[in-house]
Amino acid sequence: MKLRTSLPAQRILADRSDTRGDSSQKFLTVRLACSLIILRVALALMPNSFAQTSKPSETAKTQDVALPLSHDLSGVWMQYPQGDVPGTPGMNTVNQRFRPPLTPWGQARLDAARPLVGPKAVAGEENSPTLRCDPDGPPKVLNHPNPFEIVQIPGRMFMFFEEQHIWRTIWADGRALPKDPEPSYLGYAVGKWEGDTFVVETIGLNDKVWADAYGNPRSEQTRLTERYRRLNHDTLELQVTIDDPKSYTKVWVSPPKLHKLEAGWEIAEWFCAVEEDKVYDEVVRKPAGVSPASNK
């Protein structure tokens, strides 16, 4: 406190040596003494005031850290258009260039497949489960160049796919995968955060649909792993790994695929209606698959 009172003290001494009357000196002395008392009280209260005002800002800072951008995957996402197969832009989230060798069972299933797209496609011979309005499940539903929306709530994450209006639940409440789930189109999925990556494990998938649009099989032994990582506000990275020992001799690991945030988009209504599909087949799909030479 010596540094804080040195200037007032010097002023008191100077006032005492002044030629003014004793009454003026006493008045100034009392006034300065009161000022010193007020200053000391104010200084004593300042630390408490700082401590009280700092608490809200610390709380706000803690809340910001608790929900970083990387842990918020919400939004409508559309995969980048880069693809490996001509005429099928973007369809390489499940990348067949990295597909391992097939088992005999897997090869037989692939040989029997007549996809809608790709080198094996033959107009009029397609037998994709999609043509029967079978709902696509993962990983195939992740492979198509159509948007999906992610919605997060405490304990779970929802994925809403525009294609066939499919919605999927990923449990994120710490539960373990069931030991023997009933096989289904979407399977049973649980997810957890590993650093800035949301890791999803899915089992309990049936073998009624394909792993991708090109006819690669999916068996009931499939264990699917998806890794979601938000690189920045507008970019989501997704990597898919398929462990299916009944179909493939090794684990199928596809490179990461980038998706773009489409903040102004809304998921459209897209149901699989048999009558509408028949009209589309006759008017669009089948004519498009016939070469100009065969029309002569």
Side-chain angles (χ1 to χ4, degrees):
M1 299 299 293
K2 289 183 179 179
L3 292 177
R4 296 182 184 275
T5 59
S6 59
L7 290 177
Q10 291 176 7
R11 186 172 180 180
I12 291 173
L13 294 174
D15 289 338
R16 286 179 179 177
S17 62
D18 198 277
T19 56
R20 289 176 294 179
D22 291 341
S23 60
S24 298
Q25 291 178 358
K26 290 180 180 180
F27 176 76
L28 290 174
T29 301
V30 172
R31 184 176 179 179
L32 289 172
C34 292
S35 299
L36 288 174
I37 292 172
I38 294 172
L39 179 62
R40 288 176 179 176
V41 172
L43 291 172
L45 293 175
M46 285 175 66
N48 292 333
S49 299
F50 288 151
Q52 291 175 0
T53 56
S54 65
K55 288 182 180 179
S57 61
E58 289 174 359
T59 303
K61 186 176 181 181
T62 302
Q63 291 175 348
D64 291 341
V65 173
L67 292 173
L69 177 64
S70 60
H71 282 198
D72 181 11
L73 305 179
S74 303
V76 176
W77 300 96
M78 180 67 185
Q79 60 176 282
Y80 279 57
Q82 293 84 0
D84 296 320
V85 180
T88 56
M91 296 174 62
N92 59 336
T93 301
V94 180
N95 196 316
Q96 67 172 358
R97 291 178 55 196
F98 293 83
R99 189 203 69 198
L102 292 148
T103 63
W105 183 89
Q107 187 64 59
R109 294 295 288 259
L110 179 61
D111 291 342
R114 297 292 183 268
L116 294 166
V117 295
K120 292 186 60 181
V122 178
E125 297 184 9
E126 302 93 334
N127 62 0
S128 171
T130 302
L131 298 177
R132 303 190 299 267
C133 283
D134 288 359
D136 282 330
K140 185 174 182 287
V141 72
L142 300 166
N143 203 52
H144 286 178
N146 307 114
F148 59 81
E149 182 173 10
I150 292 177
V151 176
Q152 293 175 244
I153 65 173
R156 72 175 78 178
M157 185 174 89
F158 294 104
M159 296 186 73
F160 298 95
F161 298 89
E162 186 172 86
E163 183 181 353
Q164 300 177 335
H165 231 57
I166 294 170
W167 65 275
R168 177 190 185 200
T169 297
I170 300 172
W171 295 99
D173 55 1
R175 70 180 65 188
L177 285 167
K179 293 183 179 180
D180 188 21
E182 185 71 21
S184 61
Y185 287 100
L186 298 176
Y188 197 100
V190 300
K192 63 179 180 179
W193 287 101
E194 294 183 359
D196 62 353
T197 303
F198 189 65
V199 181
V200 181
E201 300 283 346
T202 304
I203 61 173
L205 296 162
N206 62 33
D207 61 2
K208 296 180 180 180
V209 295
W210 300 340
D212 61 9
Y214 308 114
N216 287 298
R218 185 189 82 175
S219 82
E220 294 181 358
Q221 296 182 19
T222 297
R223 185 184 184 100
L224 183 68
T225 303
E226 302 151 63
R227 296 180 178 273
Y228 297 84
R229 186 164 68 103
R230 193 164 187 171
L231 303 183
N232 53 53
H233 182 270
D234 294 327
T235 309
L236 178 70
E237 178 187 81
L238 167 60
Q239 183 174 30
V240 174
T241 300
I242 303 172
D243 185 1
D244 182 2
K246 187 174 182 179
S247 300
Y248 310 101
T249 58
K250 297 179 181 179
V251 176
W252 183 354
V253 182
S254 295
K257 178 72 176 181
L258 299 182
H259 294 69
K260 181 178 181 295
L261 179 67
E262 298 290 354
W265 287 18
E266 296 179 0
I267 297 299
E269 182 178 282
W270 178 357
F271 291 102
C272 185
V274 176
E275 291 303 319
E276 292 180 1
D277 273 5
K278 288 181 179 179
V279 173
Y280 176 81
D281 286 348
E282 298 302 323
V283 176
V284 179
R285 184 174 63 81
K286 290 181 180 179
V290 179
S291 64
S294 62
N295 287 329
K296 296 180 180 179

